[in-house]
Amino acid sequence: DDALRNLGKSTDPPSTDAGNRWLAATAIVAAAVARHESRGCHWRRDFPTVQDSWRRHLPVRLDPEGHPTIGRLDRGRLSA
């Protein structure tokens, strides 16, 4: 876990690229887990239907420890 977080801290181009890919993958998975529905190619056995209430963007940010946190974007405003 620490090794993955440290990938983005290197100035070596291959390490930076791997860190950026890890960061993007982390954001995608965090948003997918937070979404309680199935939509498009994202299908969940525990939430098999589409719900209009989830038709919105889910902003993902890193907390100070580097863990992803999910916000909610409603009508162009970000809320926690």
Side-chain angles (χ1 to χ4, degrees):
D1 197 39
D2 289 336
L4 290 174
R5 273 197 199 87
N6 289 330
L7 282 173
K9 295 179 182 176
S10 174
T11 57
D12 180 40
S15 294
T16 303
D17 187 47
N20 289 338
R21 289 177 190 206
W22 174 80
L23 185 61
T26 299
I28 292 167
V29 170
V33 169
R35 196 177 279 278
H36 293 173
E37 68 157 1
S38 291
R39 184 173 293 274
C41 65
H42 170 75
W43 185 83
R44 292 185 58 161
R45 183 177 296 155
D46 52 348
F47 299 102
T49 60
V50 174
Q51 297 178 11
D52 286 338
S53 63
W54 283 99
R55 192 174 185 176
R56 63 176 188 258
H57 295 286
L58 293 176
V60 180
R61 296 181 178 185
L62 296 179
D63 67 15
E65 290 82 37
H67 299 110
T69 60
I70 305 294
R72 182 176 169 149
L73 193 61
D74 289 321
R75 298 183 193 178
R77 294 183 184 181
L78 178 63
S79 58

